[in-house]
Amino acid sequence: MRATVVVPVLKSRSRGGQSESASTRTPESRLEEATGLAQAIDLDVVHGSIIPVNDPRPATLLGTGKIEEIKALLDERDSGLVIVDHPLTPVQQRNLEKEWNAKVIDRTGLILEIFGRRASTKEGTLQVDLAHLNYQKGRLVRSWTHLERQRGGGGFMGGPGETQIEADRRMLQDRIIKLERELEQVVRTRQLHRAKRRKVPHPIVALVGYTNAGKSTLFNRLTGAGVLAEDMLFATLDPTLRRMKLPHGRTVILSDTVGFISDLPTHLVAAFRATLEEVLEADLILHVRDMSDADNQAQSSDVMRILNDLGIDEAEAEKRLIEVWNKIDRLEPEVHDTMVQRAAGASNVVAVSAVSGEGVDTLMEEISRRLSGVMTVATIRLPVDKLALLPWLYDHAIVDGREDNEDGTITLDLRLSETEATELERRIGNGPKSDKKDWER
């Protein structure tokens, strides 16, 4: 379908009376992103416009002159769909459709459409359906309000308009309740999975970031998985978890989450709560940023705002978050070198290219270092009847040395966290030990 993208730039009045933009993002970046969103669902964008709006109209958002200008453009370009990169009220959407004689969807509707196409698992489909119904509920009911004044009989009986409203509301609400129950089961299932992972305590590392920052490409680079990775907004939607081996042999679970975006609809945040809780459970969060995007600082602020809404404040982020400056391969050589130097001088930043692999080894080392915490150094001698512990040791500890003895026992030089040291003591059956020699058997 041929589509036209319209980006309204609302102005707010400062104290000095001068007009200033109400958005922190540049209009050009908003237009580029809105066009990318439209192309993500195979729309043919034939035109894009940035429209300053000094006085938003309650009925149409835009002024009469701009509405007529866009109508002429639609007729000229034979465009039957208008995407307005701004939230529209049901009344505004309906009035614009009448004025332009074309289908109109706002930013929320466009994102819902993309999510609906991308969802491939039952959980993803349920979450998108719930968000879409909550979005449509207000619009469908309000679209019938012109019939509420119709009365039948003596004026006290509901007329056909009221009957239609109630029927629509009831059907939608019944469907919403059903989806919420199904999602409650999804939440319980996820909680069970998390409980099982805690019993086999592999640390969890979650990838977060703005959509199209390169999370899935980095996920594939780190794990060897075949997750879809394309230069497209919201190329992947459903979360994916894979095991990953760190440089010294420790196993962690890497989670690829849904991409964030500015002005993420509240319906989606609520519906995807079960998925986003994977981030809350993570031991370490990798915030992937597209450093080749001129708007990357605003994108970073949007991501941090959503993390804060999920309950991860600045103090928590400082302890659990690593910034991954991705796509440095796209930078000019001088900018690239400066970026790498800046990252090297920061305590929680690693510059990488998920495509070329540059910096990935440094990232893996940093993940290993951050997850290690306070390490215990130990030398243990496994008797023959305890050799079944070897796989567990290679998964949960860093093995610095190994000696296979003539009597069938194995001596290992280990580094492991305090938690894993306690668990190893329990499995070996030694009881609490503190001195290195006490570990030897």
Side-chain angles (χ1 to χ4, degrees), residues 64-135:
T64 305
K66 287 298 180 182
I67 290 177
E68 292 176 354
E69 181 182 321
I70 293 173
K71 179 173 175 55
L73 189 145
L74 294 175
D75 294 338
E76 177 186 341
R77 302 294 177 92
D78 190 26
S79 177
L81 174 65
V82 181
I83 297 167
V84 180
D85 188 51
H86 190 275
L88 294 175
T89 66
V91 171
Q92 289 171 342
Q93 182 178 358
R94 188 166 62 249
N95 288 340
L96 289 175
E97 287 182 341
K98 289 179 181 178
E99 292 287 343
W100 292 334
N101 192 30
K103 176 68 178 174
V104 175
I105 60 175
D106 64 0
R107 182 179 179 84
T108 302
L110 178 59
I111 294 174
L112 284 169
E113 182 68 25
I114 296 171
F115 274 40
R117 295 201 185 188
R118 295 286 182 270
S120 58
T121 65
K122 180 181 178 181
E123 177 188 354
T125 303
L126 286 173
Q127 291 173 137
V128 172
D129 286 349
L130 178 60
H132 198 274
L133 286 175
N134 279 318
Y135 172 72

Side-chain angles (χ1 to χ4, degrees), residues 60 132 142 146 173 175 200 288 322 334 336 363 373 428:
T60 56
H132 198 274
R142 288 181 177 86
H146 67 287
Q173 194 60 39
R175 177 66 176 152
V200 183
V288 183
I322 297 175
E334 291 184 2
H336 169 279
L363 175 60
I428 291 179

Side-chain angles (χ1 to χ4, degrees), residues 12 61 77 89 101 106 112 131 194 275 277 306 376 397 405 422:
S12 61
L61 181 65
R77 302 294 177 92
T89 66
N101 192 30
D106 64 0
L112 284 169
R194 290 183 190 124
T275 299
E277 282 177 356
I306 294 174
T376 298
N405 305 311
T422 302

Side-chain angles (χ1 to χ4, degrees), residues 51 70 82 90 92 113 209 211 230 236 266 277 287 290 298 355 372 378:
I51 301 179
I70 293 173
V82 181
Q92 289 171 342
E113 182 68 25
T211 181
E230 294 185 7
T236 53
T266 54
E277 282 177 356
H287 176 192
D290 178 2
V355 172
S372 296

Side-chain angles (χ1 to χ4, degrees), residues 328-342:
I328 59 173
D329 56 297
R330 294 186 176 186
L331 303 175
E332 294 295 329
E334 291 184 2
V335 180
H336 169 279
D337 295 343
T338 302
M339 191 78 67
V340 172
Q341 290 175 5
R342 283 178 55 200

Side-chain angles (χ1 to χ4, degrees), residues 43 112 123 164 303 319:
L43 293 176
L112 284 169
E123 177 188 354
Q164 182 66 60
V303 172
K319 295 185 294 184

